[in-house]
Amino acid sequence: MMFKRFLFWGGLASLSLFSSCGEDENTSEDIRPETYEISGKAEPFLAGSAVAVLPLKADMQGTGEVFTTTVKDVWGNFSLGPTQLTTPYAELFSTGYFFSLGYGDNMSESTLTLSGLADLSVTSVFNINVLTHLKVQRIRKLVADGKSFSEANMQAQNELLSAFGLQRYAGTDVSSFSMTAGTDEAGVLIAVSWLLSSEGYNENIFLNLPKVSKEFGENGIFSETTKAQMREVKKSPYSLSNLRDNIIWWYKKQGVEVKVKELTHFIDWDEDGTAGNETLGEGQEVTLETTELDVPNEGGDYTINFSSPIPLYLEPMEDGPSVIGPDTFWKDMYEGGETVDIVLDKKIEGQQLVLKIGKLKSRSAKVLTVNLYDCLNNVLGSVKITQQGDKNAALPRLGENSKYVVSAMALSLAEGFSRMNLIEQYYHYNKYASFVTQRVSPTNSEISDMWNSFYTVNNRNLMFKDTEADRLSIYQEYCGAFSALYYYYMVVVWGDVPYINDYDFYQGVNFNISRTSQNDIFDKLEKDLLASIDYFEEKRNRSLSGDANDYFFLSKDVARILLADVYMYRGKYGQAEGLLARVVENGFYSLDASDYSKPETINRLLEEGDGPETVFAVYTDHGTRSDVTVSLPPVVPVMTYTDVVLSYAECLYKNGKTSEAQLQVNEVKSAKGIQMTGSNVLEEIRDIRMRMLLYGVSNFTFMKRNGFAESVYGVEKYRLLWPIPQRELDVNPSMTPNPGY
């Protein structure tokens, strides 16, 4: 049991309160001197604690003698050698520090004194514990009223255990109970101590032991105030479970194994006078006429009949102290609270579960389980409710905590794309300055920063995604689309990379993970993006407004463009063409004179936000650009309408629609005011990209998938994959370098 401070009455220094120098003639018992070997356990005392035996006359007055010993071991064992006493009656005391089994380092900060009254002629093995202590004043009162010790002890035993609904254990004297015995009686001792604690699990084990002992001593019952305090303790069943675990843990720490029964069976939860009858007996069960409900979006009223031999409840008892976890951190996940979950009123009427379900304001179907509990929080039955969603329902906007996390995701994503663009600039200028040869290596900081930024945003995205899945699960497709965004580019530049898709709030991510094949990653991205296209809103996408909601709630077109990129990289141009055609047909974007190789275009995006061509872009906060010196741009246009039209033309060309492809290319040249020709449409697209899209992140991908990269950039074939950062190779034993580095 967990003890913090014990308010004990007396102690060895005040034992004279119970002793007398005079002879007591008012006894009818024939008492003769006998030799006893007294032993037992003093629990929960530490080794070295004092144990005293005070012989008593039949009227429970002391003889003036005192015999002492100490607790010998972790079990609380003590013993006296053969000791001659003039009386079989004795009061046994133990005083010392004790096991605080649910608090800190499990050693008390103060001392404790417990006692018990024994008839050594019946047994000389006597355990000192909380229950023996509570009987002391009651036995004295009953003896003073004329009862023999045997009668008084039996009555006090029955009264004490009945007060806790544990009368079925009254046939065994509590002086034989030990908390380490692994028996029902051990469970009784621990459970009663828990009930008498002020907070259920800390060192402050007793509400007020002098008061409790006195009121039980006078009447054999507890006052209404004490009963009310016990009810408060019952509201924290978590601490009872915690107590059991800590007892087992503490003794294991001492090198010994103990067993502790399930303690909830020794508490009279419903206060009907009997502990342990709140659970189903052998052969009993709860049955429901149905365990699943399929509910339409508009909701409805439902009544489910059930059969139960015991009372059932719709809510578990109050849990213990809260811990810092996902639910605590995400209390403001949605603006206005969790308003798009299943709206449910529930009640039990006799042997019926009555449910009233409101309209669901969610786009996707929701599942909610209604549990039926007994007094011990055991789930004895449940009904799974599945309610259909409304695809036209509005999504709740991000709450404050969600905005914070999305902003952090955006920052990491921008850092990753800015480094990627810088390395693309190295490739772009390589023929003139040998940037790739000089700078693109495993030890290059830009390579390492890009890798770390993308895995940082993945970590945050997974935390957000997994936590939200346990709440309303309405942002999952958006998290999936962002995951596809950075993983697509990671595969393009590094090939097979670790695909981390699981996150634990308490443990974080696993950083010892092997590469995942790019085909497996692309299969997953395709699946996620198809789901996103179906789920997202058909609208113009806005990513540079500065609002976290605009940034997070991507449009269908973003998912279409990204899925088309994946398809093109895998050679599925037929599927990519249809997606890009839909983006063009939607008309949310238009070509203008923007030249994404000129600083003024990038600076304009920085100052004004989304332009007519901006589909998705990221702020990097690296300042304005005044020249073409290779450096990090302040804005990276990840998706532009220029890129969409050129990719659409590429698909048309690859699908044998050369004339249609040329028309798309001509539209770009007209809008940009450029004159450019090539031997075929694909080469024309290549040259436009080289001239117009320097500060994006799509050129390297285009060159690589069309076989232009080696000649355009003047690099060896192995450099079509970028090097794995050396720091990753150092810390991840499962990681392997890319060939050539």
Side-chain angles (χ1 to χ4, degrees):
M1 177 47 69
M2 309 110 180
F3 313 108
K4 179 163 180 150
R5 183 178 302 276
F6 179 78
L7 302 176
F8 58 94
W9 48 278
L12 294 181
S14 59
L15 295 180
S16 59
L17 292 173
F18 307 109
S19 63
S20 172
C21 294
E23 295 291 333
D24 185 353
E25 305 295 338
N26 299 320
T27 176
S28 61
E29 298 192 35
D30 185 13
I31 298 177
R32 296 183 179 87
E34 293 284 349
T35 298
Y36 302 98
E37 291 194 11
I38 304 169
S39 64
K41 293 183 177 182
E43 294 176 323
F45 293 93
L46 297 174
S49 296
V51 176
V53 178
L54 282 70
L56 303 175
K57 293 177 289 186
D59 61 358
M60 300 297 102
Q61 297 298 312
T63 66
E65 299 173 286
V66 178
F67 302 90
T68 62
T69 186
T70 59
V71 173
K72 306 298 183 185
D73 54 31
V74 69
W75 301 104
N77 286 312
F78 67 88
S79 64
L80 282 172
T83 304
Q84 188 179 68
L85 304 181
T86 58
T87 168
Y89 305 117
E91 183 165 12
L92 284 76
F93 284 86
S94 184
T95 299
Y97 292 96
F98 51 93
F99 312 144
S100 172
L101 294 174
Y103 185 86
D105 61 3
N106 299 105
M107 182 174 177
S108 68
E109 298 175 358
S110 57
T111 58
L112 165 70
T113 296
L114 294 178
S115 65
L117 297 176
D119 181 350
L120 300 176
S121 67
V122 176
T123 178
S124 60
V125 178
F126 190 95
N127 295 341
I128 306 170
N129 55 50
V130 172
L131 292 172
T132 62
H133 188 90
L134 287 172
K135 285 170 54 178
V136 169
Q137 291 198 48
R138 184 59 178 160
I139 293 173
R140 289 184 182 280
K141 173 67 164 56
L142 293 172
V143 169
D145 289 344
K147 293 185 181 293
S148 68
F149 178 87
S150 177
E151 293 171 331
N153 183 54
M154 184 176 297
Q155 180 173 334
Q157 172 94 3
N158 287 325
E159 290 172 341
L160 178 61
L161 293 177
S162 296
F164 297 101
L166 295 165
Q167 54 271 19
R168 65 185 180 277
Y169 300 105
T172 304
D173 196 279
V174 296
S175 64
S176 68
F177 289 13
S178 170
M179 62 186 290
T180 61
T183 60
D184 282 356
E185 288 77 14
V188 168
L189 175 57
I190 298 169
V192 168
S193 299
W194 176 75
L195 274 178
L196 293 174
S197 63
S198 62
E199 296 178 24
Y201 63 96
N202 66 10
E203 278 193 33
N204 201 2
I205 177 175
F206 294 124
L207 303 164
N208 186 341
L209 189 62
K211 170 180 169 293
V212 172
S213 298
K214 180 180 179 181
E215 65 189 29
F216 180 75
E218 291 175 351
N219 304 304
I221 59 174
F222 295 112
S223 68
E224 289 304 315
T225 299
T226 297
K227 291 177 182 178
Q229 290 171 315
M230 292 184 193
R231 291 188 196 103
E232 288 301 309
V233 174
K234 289 180 187 178
K235 291 180 180 180
S236 299
Y238 166 87
S239 65
L240 186 59
S241 175
N242 182 66
L243 166 60
R244 178 178 181 271
D245 293 341
N246 277 291
I247 290 174
I248 294 171
W249 172 83
W250 192 89
Y251 278 98
K252 186 174 183 179
K253 184 179 177 183
Q254 312 311 308
V256 295
E257 299 285 340
V258 299
K259 294 182 179 179
V260 180
K261 296 239 178 174
E262 175 53 58
L263 298 175
T264 54
H265 298 300
F266 305 104
I267 304 296
D268 184 9
W269 300 100
D270 59 6
E271 298 188 6
D272 67 347
T274 302
N277 68 341
E278 295 89 348
T279 56
L280 294 175
E282 185 175 353
Q284 294 181 321
E285 63 178 355
V286 172
T287 59
L288 294 90
E289 64 177 353
T290 184
T291 58
E292 293 191 8
L293 284 181
D294 290 321
V295 179
N297 178 257
E298 59 269 19
D301 297 335
Y302 300 86
T303 299
I304 299 174
N305 296 312
F306 66 83
S307 174
S308 175
I310 63 173
L312 298 180
Y313 307 89
L314 287 170
E315 300 293 340
M317 298 188 68
E318 293 183 26
D319 204 352
S322 61
V323 296
I324 297 176
D327 288 341
T328 307
F329 186 77
W330 293 108
K331 63 179 180 178
D332 295 324
M333 175 166 280
Y334 312 100
E335 185 179 70
E338 297 183 16
T339 59
V340 293
D341 206 354
I342 292 177
V343 178
L344 172 67
D345 288 329
K346 56 185 178 179
K347 60 182 177 180
I348 291 176
E349 294 182 347
Q351 297 273 302
Q352 291 183 326
L353 173 62
V354 180
L355 305 172
K356 185 178 181 63
I357 303 171
K359 179 178 174 60
L360 180 61
K361 299 178 181 179
S362 170
R363 291 186 179 185
S364 59
K366 297 295 173 189
V367 176
L368 179 67
T369 299
V370 176
N371 290 324
L372 298 174
Y373 300 89
D374 64 12
C375 283
L376 304 182
N377 295 349
N378 297 310
V379 177
L380 302 185
S382 58
V383 177
K384 178 183 177 182
I385 300 172
T386 302
Q387 187 170 8
Q388 299 305 310
D390 178 2
K391 287 190 175 182
N392 296 318
L395 283 175
R397 292 167 66 83
L398 300 169
E400 290 305 312
N401 281 340
S402 294
K403 288 180 183 179
Y404 174 82
V405 173
V406 167
S407 297
M409 286 170 53
L411 178 61
S412 296
L413 194 62
E415 292 295 330
F417 278 128
S418 68
R419 266 67 182 180
M420 182 176 178
N421 173 256
L422 181 60
I423 298 166
E424 283 211 18
Q425 291 180 55
Y426 293 162
Y427 276 79
H428 182 88
Y429 291 114
N430 185 62
K431 279 190 173 182
Y432 312 104
S434 300
F435 283 138
V436 173
T437 304
Q438 297 173 17
R439 302 184 183 182
V440 180
S441 70
T443 57
N444 177 267
S445 62
E446 305 301 338
I447 292 284
S448 180
D449 289 346
M450 176 183 167
W451 177 281
N452 291 338
S453 294
F454 281 147
Y455 276 110
T456 296
V457 70
N458 186 59
N459 189 13
R460 290 168 174 163
N461 190 24
L462 287 178
M463 179 180 64
F464 189 30
K465 181 176 184 290
D466 290 357
T467 307
E468 202 274 332
D470 293 334
R471 304 291 284 274
L472 300 182
S473 193
I474 54 176
Y475 295 163
Q476 298 298 291
E477 287 77 8
Y478 292 96
C479 294
F482 275 102
S483 176
L485 180 62
Y486 49 79
Y487 266 117
Y488 165 69
Y489 284 104
M490 290 171 72
V491 169
V492 167
V493 301
W494 283 303
D496 299 347
V497 294
Y499 183 72
I500 302 173
N501 199 36
D502 296 304
Y503 180 84
D504 186 292
F505 181 85
Y506 300 99
Q507 300 299 324
V509 295
N510 178 9
F511 291 103
N512 182 7
I513 184 170
S514 303
R515 291 178 179 236
T516 307
S517 75
Q518 66 178 42
N519 283 331
D520 288 345
I521 296 176
F522 279 150
D523 286 345
K524 172 62 176 171
L525 303 192
E526 287 183 13
K527 181 180 178 181
D528 287 348
L529 290 168
L530 285 169
S532 298
I533 292 171
D534 183 59
Y535 192 74
F536 289 179
E537 185 179 348
E538 197 75 85
K539 64 177 183 178
R540 174 184 172 85
N541 196 71
R542 295 191 179 277
S543 54
L544 297 181
S545 69
D547 182 85
N549 283 284
D550 288 342
Y551 183 89
F552 182 71
F553 292 118
L554 303 169
S555 72
K556 287 182 184 288
D557 281 345
V558 172
R560 290 186 182 116
I561 294 167
L562 187 53
L563 181 57
D565 287 338
V566 175
Y567 283 153
M568 286 188 290
Y569 199 79
R570 305 185 86 176
K572 301 178 181 181
Y573 282 93
Q575 291 165 276
E577 179 188 327
L579 292 167
L580 295 173
R582 182 61 188 274
V583 177
V584 172
E585 292 165 3
N586 278 341
F588 291 125
Y589 312 96
S590 60
L591 293 168
D592 63 10
S594 296
D595 183 342
Y596 298 99
S597 292
K598 292 185 176 180
E600 51 263 36
T601 295
I602 302 303
N603 292 337
R604 185 171 66 250
L605 291 174
L606 177 64
E607 295 168 2
E608 300 177 5
D610 300 299
E613 289 203 14
T614 310
V615 181
F616 183 81
V618 293
Y619 284 118
T620 64
D621 195 27
H622 290 294
T624 58
R625 301 286 301 277
S626 59
D627 53 36
V628 294
T629 304
V630 178
S631 62
L632 296 171
V635 176
V636 177
V638 179
M639 294 180 182
T640 66
Y641 193 56
T642 295
D643 181 64
V644 169
V645 176
L646 292 176
S647 294
Y648 181 39
E650 179 186 345
C651 290
L652 291 170
Y653 177 80
K654 290 294 182 76
N655 294 328
K657 303 173 184 178
T658 305
S659 59
E660 294 178 50
Q662 188 65 62
L663 289 174
Q664 296 298 322
V665 171
N666 291 343
E667 286 193 22
V668 174
K669 291 193 294 184
S670 175
K672 308 299 180 185
I674 58 176
Q675 298 295 322
M676 188 174 294
T677 58
S679 59
N680 59 51
V681 172
L682 197 60
E683 290 185 1
E684 215 171 331
I685 295 172
R686 176 197 63 193
D687 295 342
I688 294 173
R689 284 183 170 279
M690 287 295 289
R691 176 170 173 177
M692 305 295 297
L693 296 176
L694 173 63
Y695 298 134
V697 291
S698 61
N699 277 359
F700 182 83
T701 305
F702 170 83
M703 301 301 170
K704 187 175 177 180
R705 71 180 175 235
N706 286 288
F708 293 136
E710 291 176 68
S711 60
V712 166
Y713 297 133
V715 296
E716 302 93 330
K717 184 176 182 179
Y718 80 89
R719 289 193 178 275
L720 300 187
L721 287 179
W722 297 357
I724 302 297
Q726 187 61 48
R727 282 190 293 179
E728 180 65 19
L729 295 170
D730 292 339
V731 301
N732 184 352
S734 297
M735 180 55 61
T736 56
N738 276 334
Y741 295 100

